[in-house]
Amino acid sequence: MCGIVGYVGDKESAPILVSGLKKLEYRGYDSAGVAVVSRNTLNVVRATGKLRNLENRVSQEEPKGTIGIGHTRWATHGRPSDENAHPHSYKGVAVVHNGIIENHLALKAELRARGHHFSSETDTEVFAHLISDELDSGRDLPEAVRQAIKQVKGTYALAVVCSSDPNRIVCTKDASPMVLGLGEGQNFVASDVPALLEHTRDIVYMEEGDLAVVTAQGVALYNRQGQLVNRPTRRIDWTPMMAEKGGHKHFMHKEIWEQPRAVADTLRGRMLLSEGDVHFEGWSLSPEKVRALSKVTILACGTSWHSGIAGKHMIESLARIPVEVELASEFRYRDPIVDSTHLAIAISQSGETADTLAAFKEAKGRGATAMAICNVMGSAMTREADISVLTNAGPEIGVASTKAFTTQLVTLYMLAVKLGRMRGTLTVQQAQEHLTRLTEVPKMIEEVLKCETSVKRVARDFMSSQDFLFLGRGPMHPVALEGALKLKEISYIHAEGYAGGEMKHGPIALIDEKMPVVVIAPKQPHVAYEKIIGNIEEVRARGGKVIAIIDEDDTHVASLADDVIRIPPACALLAPVVATIPLQLLAYHVAEMRGNDVDQPRNLAKSVTVE
Ligand code: M6R
């Protein structure tokens, strides 16, 4: 997830681009840049870090030109740095890109063989080289872009300017968003509407495969087949804040609904289905090293710790390595037993959580191989790690973690499959079956999001409760913990998550007719379905109210529960991804109905960088 802007008109473009990028900073903020064209000269200005660094450079260098493109980056390939910041340019062609080019390594190898040199670690730079080659072979800019994208596998929203064709921006998109803004004697391109509202409210949404040629006078839009097409112009009456949230009332709600896309991005380019394997960029563990692993230690806090518990089920079951899941804040103050046969995995959305970072350093210092599963490339944990695996969820703004959690779960599942293949605990065919299930997850999340109406009804019935209990067994235990954490952090209702079997060892004393108990009960043996039904009976016998998360076709639990929320059936190890989503929505709607500040709940910070 990155932000793109483009401007062509009669004004200086650089200040317009920087001001548009400010509205898109929520899409990424590890570096930014602009490329402007004036009298057949391309000027590129880039800076690592927040947008103000670019703003300072632009005000010092004052790049001139009434046409230009800009970008704010969320790193996926290549650490945050000036060299990896967009725009990327080659022989007068400058490109900005949002998306992932899956075959960039193969394309780079081909281009290098033809004498090209690359100046960044990014996948994006190949676009500048491919387009430049097409221009050299006599094509005009739109055709050069069209031919270049034919060679690329992956997702993109791409905007291109060129010093030899200085009056037009060419942009195209597939699976990443891109809109056009229509003005008088000036026109605009952007990843999202907020970047444009200052200048125009007349917006054209590009469709998959569209290519647009944008000049100061107008926009020509072509479909994938190269035919000229008309797309409707929509008048947007959102406020800038509403636009940033994509029409959702809160970032948390937007991020919950983004999960099909976020999970698809996590999987993208990594599933080697025919080989029954997983590709992680920068993977450096040899098969011998993996076979010699005696233990995996997962280090994390909060929601990331919950995903670690689900990860334990996945790795132990598929790769047969013992896994310990440690609260980072406890691990660092013990005298933990760690040696060079251990793999320490830090899981963190931000990559900056102080306790996780300190525990990670401790484990690495004692000889463990250090792997970071992070959403933020270039964060402290990815810098500390021997291997980093990005979750690719895009920036998460709401303090309550949602898409960070589900993308961590699918990353851990891929890791379990990869380790299983390397250790020989999974055959090619078994790995293929697991990977096929993973490919179905984005669709399943789309399905489960349809439960929002029933969740809202439950939220209305229980919004005034003082306490909640969440129960789950096996892989549903971390889901219970996560459901309780979500509810308490944004609704301020006291909530406890418990393994179902533990209920009779204490929490059962709390149950009375005022206590809602959320039971996560998909129908699987691993989840001890029969036993969780036992829990439901125990709650009912004490007058407690049962809200059950059940498979679509479950009639038995439905007959016992006071309320049910139905989810599509998933295999036991992937069911946590699907089952968590109704609980995110429940917490969201309860908090919203209670009038709380959902995105910035009291006393909490998005990233806890202090002990
Ligand atoms: O950035 P991290 O994943 O390391 O953050 C860890 C926790 O602080 C975080 O998950 C926290 O529990 C969230 N507010 C949960 O929604």
Side-chain angles (χ1 to χ4, degrees), residues 458-478:
V458 174
R460 203 165 294 116
D461 290 349
F462 293 99
M463 62 176 276
S464 305
S465 301
Q466 291 196 341
D467 306 277
F468 266 75
L469 191 61
F470 289 73
L471 298 178
R473 287 175 179 252
M476 295 302 131
H477 174 217

Side-chain angles (χ1 to χ4, degrees), residues 221-441:
L221 203 52
Y222 302 87
N223 64 13
R224 205 188 289 277
Q225 290 69 42
Q227 295 151 335
L228 199 59
V229 285
N230 252 323
R231 305 275 180 231
T233 303
R234 295 173 206 276
R235 197 151 181 94
I236 302 290
D237 52 12
W238 292 345
T239 63
M241 202 53 191
M242 277 164 78
E244 252 176 58
K245 292 176 188 156
H248 294 265
K249 192 164 175 192
H250 298 98
F251 279 110
M252 181 185 176
H253 195 251
K254 173 170 176 263
E255 286 157 5
I256 291 173
W257 277 84
E258 260 171 16
Q259 289 177 104
R261 196 270 312 143
V263 166
D265 282 350
T266 311
L267 300 176
R268 196 175 315 286
R270 289 168 161 174
M271 315 280 281
L272 307 177
L273 261 176
S274 54
E275 292 147 59
D277 202 355
V278 171
H279 165 75
F280 286 134
E281 193 140 304
W283 180 268
S284 55
L285 281 184
S286 65
E288 299 71 47
K289 177 97 191 169
V290 169
R291 280 196 292 273
L293 288 176
S294 66
K295 190 166 92 177
V296 171
T297 301
I298 293 181
L299 304 163
C301 300
T303 288
S304 298
W305 182 68
H306 299 157
S307 76
I309 300 173
K312 173 184 169 76
H313 286 273
M314 297 168 187
I315 295 170
E316 288 190 343
S317 156
L318 305 188
R320 309 303 297 154
I321 316 177
V323 180
E324 276 180 11
V325 188
E326 301 270 1
L327 286 168
S329 53
E330 290 293 317
F331 179 86
R332 61 183 295 200
Y333 294 114
R334 288 210 326 261
D335 183 9
I337 301 167
V338 182
D339 66 39
S340 61
T341 64
H342 293 187
L343 174 64
I345 304 181
I347 306 180
S348 174
Q349 187 286 131
S350 61
E352 300 289 346
T353 301
D355 284 324
T356 308
L357 183 59
F360 196 41
K361 286 182 176 166
E362 181 70 40
K364 189 179 172 190
R366 288 175 185 241
T369 301
M371 176 185 291
I373 295 184
C374 267
N375 192 32
V376 184
M377 153 89 84
S379 58
M381 276 174 233
T382 63
R383 295 197 303 273
E384 188 64 36
D386 301 311
I387 304 172
S388 295
V389 179
L390 288 186
T391 51
N392 290 341
E396 192 179 64
I397 312 284
V399 165
S401 235
T402 51
K403 61 178 181 170
F405 179 67
T406 45
T407 54
Q408 286 166 354
L409 294 179
V410 296
T411 304
L412 285 160
Y413 199 93
M414 284 190 285
L415 177 65
V417 172
K418 184 159 188 72
L419 295 175
R421 285 293 298 127
M422 291 179 90
R423 289 169 67 85
T425 53
L426 291 179
T427 63
V428 172
Q429 197 194 337
Q430 286 167 331
Q432 286 170 330
E433 283 162 17
H434 288 291
L435 297 179
T436 305
R437 285 180 201 148
L438 268 170
T439 59
E440 290 158 5
V441 173

